Amino acid sequence: MKVAEVRHILDTIGDLFPDAHCELNHSNAFELTIAVLLSAQCTDATVNKVTVDLFQKYKAPIDYISVPLEELEGDIRRIGLYRNKAKHIQSLCSILIEQYGGEVPEAHDLLVTLPGVGRKTANVVVSNAFGVPAIAVDTHVERVAKRLALAGWKDSVLEVEKKLMKAVPRDEWTITHHRLIFFGRYHCKAQNPKCQVCPLLDVCREGKKRMKTAVVRKAKDHTSIS
C-alpha cells in the first residue's frame, strides 16, 4: 500500500477517534500487566468491573502470593479462564519478587518470559506504562488491518504486527494501536460494521463487498415483492 493511502487511513481514523486510549483501568505498570493478562478472551469492561475490587485488595506482587490459589480464583471468577489466569498471576508475581525486586521489567524480551504474558500483553505494557512505541495486535486490530488491506487475509498476528510497524511511522505506533482498537470496537465491528456511514469505505475491501451484497439482496427483495 502506498504511503499516501496509509496516511489517509491513519488520519481518517484519527479524526474519528482522536482521544483513543487504553480502556483498562490501572494506576501503574504492575496493575496494567495484571489487567492485560486478565483481558485475554475477555472484554475490557468485564476486566474493569473485576479490578475495581481486585486492585484494592492486592496492591503488590507479594499480596497475590500471600493468599491461597482458591481465594484468588474466587476474586477473578467472573473472568474467562480464571483458573489458569490465577495460576499465571501467582507465578508471575513470584518471579517479579525473586528476579526483579517486585517491579515489572521494562524490557520487552523480559516481559514475554513472564507467565501469562505474550507478545501482545508485553506490547501493551511497554507502550502504555513505559512510553516505548509499540503496536499490540488484538482481535480488533487484526480485523481492521485485514479489512483495510494493511495486512493480508491469511497473515498471522505477528505478520500483521510487522506490516503495521512498517507502514505506520514509529512515533505513531502506540496511538495508532489505540485508534485501531476503538475503530474496530465501536465502528468496524466484527458482525455489524457501520459500512454505510464509514469514511473509509472507498479503501475497504470488506466494506465494498458487504455493500455490494446488500445492494444485490435489496434488489432481489424488491423483485420478489413486485
Side-chain angles (χ1 to χ4, degrees), residues 54-218:
L54 193 73
F55 291 162
Q56 287 296 316
K57 181 177 180 179
Y58 304 95
K59 301 290 187 180
I62 189 66
D63 299 326
Y64 285 95
I65 64 173
S66 297
V67 300
L69 178 61
E70 293 75 17
E71 183 174 342
L72 178 55
E73 287 178 350
D75 290 332
I76 63 172
R77 188 174 295 272
R78 285 182 288 173
I79 299 287
L81 306 175
Y82 70 91
R83 288 192 175 90
N84 283 336
K85 291 177 181 179
K87 292 178 182 177
H88 286 322
I89 288 173
Q90 288 198 333
S91 297
L92 179 150
C93 288
S94 294
I95 293 174
L96 292 184
I97 293 170
E98 295 168 4
Q99 299 183 24
Y100 303 107
E103 299 294 328
V104 174
E106 295 187 21
H108 189 280
D109 59 344
L110 296 179
L111 281 168
V112 294
T113 66
L114 298 173
V117 178
R119 186 175 181 85
K120 185 199 78 171
T121 299
N123 282 344
V124 172
V125 173
V126 298
S127 60
N128 289 281
F130 302 123
V132 178
I135 296 177
V137 179
D138 68 355
T139 56
H140 299 298
V141 174
E142 180 180 8
R143 180 175 67 254
V144 171
K146 290 182 176 181
R147 285 180 174 177
L148 293 176
L150 291 168
W153 288 119
K154 297 182 179 181
D155 284 350
S156 66
V157 171
L158 181 57
E159 288 171 331
V160 172
E161 180 186 338
K162 289 181 176 179
K163 287 185 178 180
L164 287 174
M165 290 169 65
K166 184 177 181 180
V168 179
R170 189 173 188 275
D171 61 351
E172 296 181 45
W173 285 357
T174 299
I175 188 60
T176 295
H177 154 72
H178 292 312
R179 287 172 175 169
L180 288 175
I181 288 178
F182 269 53
F183 187 70
R185 182 176 289 162
Y186 303 113
H187 184 87
C188 189
K189 300 178 181 180
Q191 298 301 323
N192 296 299
K194 301 178 181 179
C195 300
Q196 66 277 12
V197 295
C198 185
L200 288 175
L201 181 61
D202 61 322
V203 295
C204 180
R205 51 188 176 180
E206 174 72 11
K208 291 177 181 177
K209 179 181 177 182
R210 284 175 176 268
M211 293 303 291
K212 183 177 180 179
T213 300
V215 170
V216 172
R217 185 183 300 117
K218 186 175 181 180

Side-chain angles (χ1 to χ4, degrees), residues 29-44:
F30 176 61
E31 288 186 354
L32 177 59
T33 302
I34 297 298
V36 182
L37 188 157
L38 291 173
S39 71
Q41 298 184 42
C42 183
T43 66
D44 288 0

